[in-house]
Amino acid sequence: MAVVSAMGGVTNRLIEAAQASAAGEMAAAGNLAETLRQQHQGAIEILVEDGEKRAQLTSELRQIIEEVTSLCRGTALLRELTPRTLDAISSAGERLSARLLASALRELGLSAEAVEATELIVTDNQSGQAEPLMAETRERAKARLSRCLPKDQCRS
């Protein structure tokens, strides 16, 4: 298992675009989308040789970028950035990186799957300052990750 972070500068760009959107700057969403597409497409070109796998990964990343773009546009329309929306926008970098790493590992012939943190971590729902609920997180992580590991590697 590996935990990933966003590519360099991505989280800052996501937060800046969210804040610009809150100020009513509609162009922030489009500019962010283009920047993310270019940066991540460059990584895809380097990491994934197979054209079909490259197209699949590009489609997955495009979907995440479109989600973030929609959140920024909604923020710009409302001129309001809630902690929950900021959490959703700022988490996109890790979501993108997880898929890139999983694809790169599969390219090397290893078994890999991107797992969203939201599939594992349970929090107290205090957006912007959420604290993990460890017992629930442990249970959910064990259930989810045990499906990824061969039976003889699972531990209780």
Side-chain angles (χ1 to χ4, degrees), residues 21-110:
S21 295
E25 294 181 35
M26 288 298 282
N31 294 339
L32 174 66
E34 185 57 31
T35 300
L36 292 176
R37 265 191 221 102
Q38 287 178 5
Q39 184 174 8
H40 290 82
Q41 191 60 45
I44 291 170
E45 298 296 324
I46 293 168
L47 296 172
V48 183
E49 291 182 16
D50 180 272
E52 189 174 315
K53 291 176 183 175
R54 187 182 289 168
Q56 175 61 36
L57 179 58
T58 298
S59 175
E60 289 176 26
L61 298 191
R62 184 179 305 123
Q63 182 177 351
I64 293 168
I65 292 168
E66 287 173 6
E67 288 172 17
V68 170
T69 302
S70 292
L71 288 169
C72 285
R73 285 190 179 120
T75 297
L77 286 171
L78 295 172
R79 292 181 187 238
E80 179 181 15
L81 180 61
T82 66
R84 185 175 181 181
T85 302
L86 181 58
D87 284 352
I89 291 170
S90 61
S91 70
E94 285 78 13
R95 295 175 63 208
L96 294 164
S97 287
R99 282 160 180 78
L100 281 169
L101 179 61
S103 293
L105 292 171
R106 286 191 298 267
E107 191 75 14
L108 296 172
L110 301 170

Side-chain angles (χ1 to χ4, degrees), residues 1-33:
M1 177 171 51
V3 177
V4 299
S5 185
M7 292 175 72
V10 169
T11 302
N12 288 341
R13 281 194 286 283
L14 289 163
I15 292 169
E16 288 166 6
Q19 292 169 339
S21 295
E25 294 181 35
M26 288 298 282
N31 294 339
L32 174 66

